[in-house]
Amino acid sequence: MSTTNDAKRLNLPWAVASKSKRTLRAQARAGKLELEAAAADTTAEGLRRNKPLSKRAVKRAEKKEARDRELVEAKANAKTRWHHERKWAFASKLGFYDPAAPGVPSSTRQMEFSHMAIASPPTSHRGLVFGVDAGSGWMIVHDPFTAYGDTLESPNVCYIGDLGQGKSSAMKTWGVLRQLILGRRVVVIDKKYQKDVGGGEYTPLARKLGVAPVRFSIGGGGSRINILDPRIAARLNEENHDSAEAFRTPAGQSMLVRAVMEEALRRPMTPKEGKAVRMAHRQALTDAKKAGEVAHIGHVLKALYAPNEDAAKATNLTVEELREWGQDPAFELERMIEDDLAGLIDGETSADIQLNAGLTVFDVSLLPEDGPALPIVMTIINTWLANTLYRQEEAVPTVLLIEEAWHTVQGSVATVTRRNTKLSRALSLSCQFAFHHISDIPADSPAISMLKECGTVLLYKQQKSADALACEEMFTLPAGTAEVITKLVKGTCLFKIDQFDPFEAIHVRSPLEVELTDTDGAMKSTSTIAFTEEPATDEAMEVTPA
């Protein structure tokens, strides 16, 4: 195995290469003649014919002969190298003028030593760039859709870590912007409020892409989403939530109505209450259709107060029995519609709630942390999306990002969310959740199994050892991983793909991504308050930008 200038000559333009071949043949003949003449004069045989020599003199003659041969060969090689009268900078950059190092004849087995041990890349070359491996420097390329069926079986992703460690930056870049480059659909439920932008933290990103976020607020003035929206399947019997049959389709209106009722009651419904609510749901759909209207939760409330006599008789019940059974759900539902959920679910779905071709942002940052509004709206959005994707003719890879996902891990809304995520593969949907700590999730919550089934896990720094140890146990990480998690720096995480061992990943962002993921504008503000000698009033106090 040798390296010569032949490979370079093959890359030369035709005219230059042909000229080089003629020159090489002439120079090779001249070199051969010089070599033969020198050999005739310096061989030991010729010296022996002229005069007897000692053994020592013969050895010296042989050494001189070898040196002369090497000199003549080197001279011939130097003459055969291609050259030009003037320097050509472009060709020099390509290596045509720079002589190649002489090759070393060898074999494959002998050259094994030259391939020293190196770390292999932690991922394949297919997917989306996330960053670099902190241990080897290899690029990390991973994507739930392209890796599905190859290195993982679940397209769902979870991000777990303390506040301010880079979870949102990873979601906005790797989970949103880079997905959009591939022409995929991205839906975001934006929970974090940013005062400097007057809305959720995804607002600047949405504006940069020319997308108007869909905003929800209590008391009106925002968008409204209907539990009984026709785009959500109107299945009326979904009592067996954990059966294999139940997980073949997304949650329907019946499960949503039940979840809302139980959130209103703050307890599970009794069998009699459940029967009254199911009857009211059927009656609401029938009455709205007769009136030429789209059914909504207001029709259900009306049916609870005034059950249909014919429907009651068909089930061997009386109107009074149905009214009595549905009295407590009706009272609490009415209170919730007028108070906790005012302007959110009490009407038809707003026209701006559409599944865009690219990015859709649902801004729920104005909803209160306490109370049922936030988990109910997040669950309705999740179910609305799952049903919309279920009915699409051609599956389009879709990413659903839920910031502050701990709001959906308790009560009936957790059951609905888990059922929808079970269908991710059938819907070509990657559900991506962000949690601060595993301790945020109750031990009996369906969200625990939902997290265990995530094919990709990104673990950021956990300050408390107990939280890090919980991650190690939940995701069956190698012993001692908890200590590594407590020492991670901002912007790095342990990247775990399916059952493979985790590796430390450094998230890399472009300058534009750094700008769009900056959420520290309010904390870094240098504005001051200018005081006057007058008592502080709204008119006497003004903010002076630095």
Side-chain angles (χ1 to χ4, degrees), residues 59 87 103 105 139 154 157 182 249 299 353 365 380 433 448 519:
K59 288 183 178 181
K87 186 176 180 181
M139 184 179 295
S154 171
V157 182
L182 299 182
T249 57
H299 292 89
I353 299 182
S365 61
I380 296 173
F433 311 95
I448 293 293
T519 57

Side-chain angles (χ1 to χ4, degrees), residues 8 28 39 58 127 143 220 299 305 403 407 411 463 528:
K8 294 183 178 181
V58 171
D143 175 58
H299 292 89
Y305 281 134
E403 291 271 11
H407 290 284
Q463 187 69 35
T528 59

Side-chain angles (χ1 to χ4, degrees), residues 321-372:
E321 285 177 323
L322 283 179
R323 184 185 295 111
E324 182 181 355
W325 292 355
Q327 191 172 40
D328 287 344
F331 289 162
E332 287 302 313
L333 179 60
E334 183 178 20
R335 179 198 59 78
M336 181 179 288
I337 292 175
E338 295 177 352
D339 186 9
D340 296 329
L341 299 178
L344 295 178
I345 65 172
D346 52 350
E348 297 184 28
T349 301
S350 301
D352 60 344
I353 299 182
Q354 298 290 336
L355 198 58
N356 297 335
L359 176 64
T360 303
V361 177
F362 292 101
D363 186 351
V364 296
S365 61
L366 295 177
L367 299 181
E369 290 279 347
D370 300 327

